[in-house]
């Protein structure tokens, strides 16, 4: 997100600075540093075809700079995304390894739950694991909600509250199916 600027030419300059700084860091370091593009789909997304839009031209220019820099890079670049289908195909070949992380299995989810919520009864954990296909991050969100609830209300944790937070974790379970946003 730091690469975007409303001023003409600044976004391109910021992208170039990232790689200049990275190349300098590589020269100063005994071990190659890692250049991380978190939520990479924000800058590595599919190129636009509307050649008359200044915004699309700028985005395409940024992507062309990135493609060139990736091609000549001698360091280590890691990109993360939850939206790999939104990435431009030209970037895909520039990454030597592509690793997809699946959601944890039932057994692993149960271990995560057990580690986070050691007080929960075995039957409740079994029920939650079967009913909710949560990622590790979603389980952590629920754990933090329970902690927040305990701190703000002074009440102890319980299985009913745990189930309530599990049911409300996903957007589709919020607001009785109403869409989020302004009406």
């Amino acid at each position: 997100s730091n690469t975007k600027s409303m001023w003409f030419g600044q976004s391109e300059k910021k992208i170039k600075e990232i790689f200049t700084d990275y190349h300098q860091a590589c020269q100063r370091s005994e071990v190659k540093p890692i250049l991380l593009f978190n939520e990479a789909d924000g800058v590595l997304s599919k190129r636009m075809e509307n050649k008359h839009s200044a915004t699309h031209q700028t985005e395409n220019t940024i992507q062309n700079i990135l493609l060139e820099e990736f091609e000549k890079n001698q360091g280590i670049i890691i990109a993360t995304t939850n939206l790999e289908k939104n990435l431009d195909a030209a970037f895909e070949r520039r990454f030597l390894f592509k690793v997809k992380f699946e959601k944890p299995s039932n057994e692993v989810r149960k271990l995560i739950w057990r580690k986070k919520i050691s007080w929960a009864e075995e039957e409740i954990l079994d029920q939650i694991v079967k009913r909710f296909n949560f990622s590790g991050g979603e389980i952590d969100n629920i754990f933090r909600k329970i902690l927040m609830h305990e701190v703000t209300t002074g009440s102890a944790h319980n299985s009913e509250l745990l189930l309530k937070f599990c049911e409300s974790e996903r957007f589709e379970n919020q607001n009785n199916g109403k869409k989020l946003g302004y009406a």
Side-chain angles (χ1 to χ4, degrees):
S1 63
N2 293 342
T3 63
K4 305 290 179 159
S5 174
M6 65 183 204
W7 304 109
F8 183 75
Q10 286 301 305
S11 296
E12 295 91 325
K13 187 188 262 186
K14 287 180 178 188
I15 291 290
K16 284 282 197 185
E17 283 175 12
I18 288 171
F19 285 94
T20 300
D21 293 348
Y22 178 68
H23 293 303
Q24 290 172 355
C26 286
Q27 291 172 348
R28 290 189 309 265
S29 301
E30 285 184 37
V31 177
K32 291 274 187 206
I34 295 171
L35 179 56
L36 174 67
F37 283 85
N38 193 27
E39 303 297 346
D41 50 278
V43 290
L44 308 181
S45 59
K46 293 180 181 166
R47 286 173 277 185
M48 308 292 182
E49 294 188 25
N50 183 353
K51 294 176 176 49
H52 302 294
S53 165
T55 303
H56 290 175
Q57 287 175 346
T58 299
E59 290 292 326
N60 288 347
T61 301
I62 289 169
Q63 289 167 322
N64 288 337
I65 292 168
L66 285 164
L67 288 166
E68 288 174 20
E69 291 293 339
F70 281 28
E71 193 70 35
K72 68 182 183 182
N73 182 59
Q74 297 295 310
I76 302 167
I77 298 176
I78 296 176
T80 67
T81 183
N82 291 325
L83 303 170
E84 71 277 358
K85 292 192 183 339
N86 289 357
L87 297 179
D88 193 291
F91 288 104
E92 187 174 340
R93 78 171 178 83
R94 285 168 171 85
F95 286 100
L96 186 59
F97 298 101
K98 293 110 182 144
V99 181
K100 183 172 183 166
F101 293 93
E102 300 291 340
K103 286 190 178 177
S105 67
N106 285 354
E107 295 80 27
V108 172
R109 275 200 318 277
K110 189 168 181 182
L111 289 172
I112 296 169
W113 279 112
R114 174 61 56 218
K115 186 172 175 102
K116 293 283 184 184
I117 311 209
S118 59
W119 50 263
E121 301 91 23
E122 203 67 25
E123 309 83 54
I124 294 295
L125 289 182
D126 287 336
Q127 178 184 351
I128 289 171
V129 165
K130 288 177 187 166
R131 191 167 158 203
F132 302 102
N133 186 21
F134 288 138
S135 67
E138 290 169 316
I139 293 170
D140 194 50
N141 283 348
I142 294 164
F143 172 69
R144 289 184 292 162
K145 287 176 188 177
I146 289 171
L147 287 178
M148 294 276 297
H149 181 79
E150 289 175 2
V151 169
T152 58
T153 65
S155 62
H157 49 259
N158 61 60
S159 297
E160 185 179 310
L161 184 64
L162 174 58
L163 285 169
K164 177 183 163 201
F165 283 137
C166 285
E167 289 169 353
S168 68
E169 176 59 20
R170 298 258 171 86
F171 281 128
E172 64 261 18
N173 297 334
Q174 304 257 336
N175 304 322
N176 298 328
K178 295 178 189 169
K179 291 188 177 187
L180 296 175
Y182 297 101

